[in-house]
C-alpha cells in the first residue's frame, strides 16, 4: 500500500509540473511581448552603417560562448560578450556606462530583448536590440570574426 501511495504522490507531483508548462509559456510570452514594446530595434543594415560611420556604441553579445565559437561575431572594436545568464553579475567591471549607447544582440533577438530590459532596470538609457540577431547578420553576409577561436 505504501508503494502505491508513493506512486500516486509522484504522479500527482509530476502532473502538476506538466500543467504549469502552459502557464510558464504564457508568462514568458507576455514578458517577451512587454520587452519588445520597451526597446527599439536596429536592423542589420542600420548596424552595419553605424559601424561604417564609426559611431560610438558598445555591441553587447548575450549568446552563450559556444554559440559565438560556432557562428562568430560581428567585427567591432567595442564588442563585448556576456552570456545572458551572467549579465547582472558581469555589469560591475564590464566597462560600459549607463550613458553609453548599447546594441544588444543574440542569435535571433529573443534574449536580447530580455537583456535590454535588465539593462534598463540598472539605469542604462540608450539601448537597441539587433533585429534578427546574429542570424540576420550572417544572412546579410556582413563580416564576422571568431573572438574565442573557431571549431
Amino acid at each position: 500500500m505504501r508503494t502505491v501511495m508513493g506512486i500516486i504522490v509522484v504522479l500527482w507531483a509530476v502532473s502538476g509540473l506538466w500543467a504549469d508548462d502552459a502557464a510558464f509559456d504564457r508568462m514568458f510570452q507576455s514578458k517577451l511581448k512587454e520587452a519588445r514594446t520597451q526597446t527599439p530595434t536596429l536592423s542589420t543594415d542600420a548596424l552595419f552603417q553605424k559601424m561604417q560611420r564609426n559611431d560610438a556604441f558598445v555591441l553587447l553579445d548575450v549568446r552563450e560562448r559556444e554559440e559565438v565559437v560556432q557562428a562568430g561575431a560581428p567585427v567591432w572594436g567595442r564588442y563585448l560578450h556576456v552570456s545572458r545568464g551572467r549579465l547582472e553579475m558581469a555589469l560591475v567591471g564590464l566597462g560600459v556606462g549607463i550613458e553609453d549607447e548599447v546594441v544588444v544582440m543574440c542569435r535571433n533577438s529573443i534574449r536580447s530583448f530580455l537583456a535590454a530590459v535588465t539593462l534598463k532596470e540598472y539605469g542604462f538609457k540608450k539601448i537597441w536590440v539587433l533585429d534578427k540577431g546574429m542570424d540576420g547578420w550572417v544572412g546579410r553576409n556582413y563580416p564576422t570574426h571568431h573572438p574565442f577561436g573557431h571549431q
Side-chain angles (χ1 to χ4, degrees), residues 4-111:
V4 172
M5 289 300 289
I7 291 171
I8 291 171
V9 168
V10 169
L11 289 174
W12 175 75
V14 171
S15 70
L17 291 176
W18 289 330
D20 288 341
D21 284 351
F24 290 151
D25 186 55
R26 281 192 304 277
M27 184 181 292
F28 172 75
Q29 294 302 327
S30 173
K31 286 185 174 290
L32 182 59
K33 183 178 180 180
E34 183 179 336
R36 287 180 190 269
T37 64
Q38 293 179 17
T39 308
T41 59
L42 193 66
S43 72
T44 51
D45 292 337
L47 177 61
F48 186 71
Q49 291 167 2
K50 286 174 77 58
M51 291 173 163
Q52 294 297 303
R53 290 190 307 264
N54 204 26
D55 289 357
F57 68 93
V58 173
L59 181 58
L60 178 62
D61 189 343
V62 296
R63 294 176 294 160
E64 296 298 320
R65 182 182 175 99
E66 295 78 29
E67 292 175 275
V68 177
V69 168
Q70 234 176 12
V75 178
W76 185 240
R78 289 207 64 201
Y79 168 86
L80 295 174
H81 172 262
V82 177
S83 64
R84 173 64 191 100
R86 297 188 36 78
L87 182 59
E88 291 86 346
M89 295 178 287
L91 286 175
V92 174
L94 192 59
V96 180
I98 61 172
E99 297 296 331
D100 289 339
E101 183 174 345
V102 179
V103 177
V104 186
M105 64 165 289
C106 65
R107 185 177 64 84
N108 59 14
S109 76
I110 292 173
R111 286 171 285 177

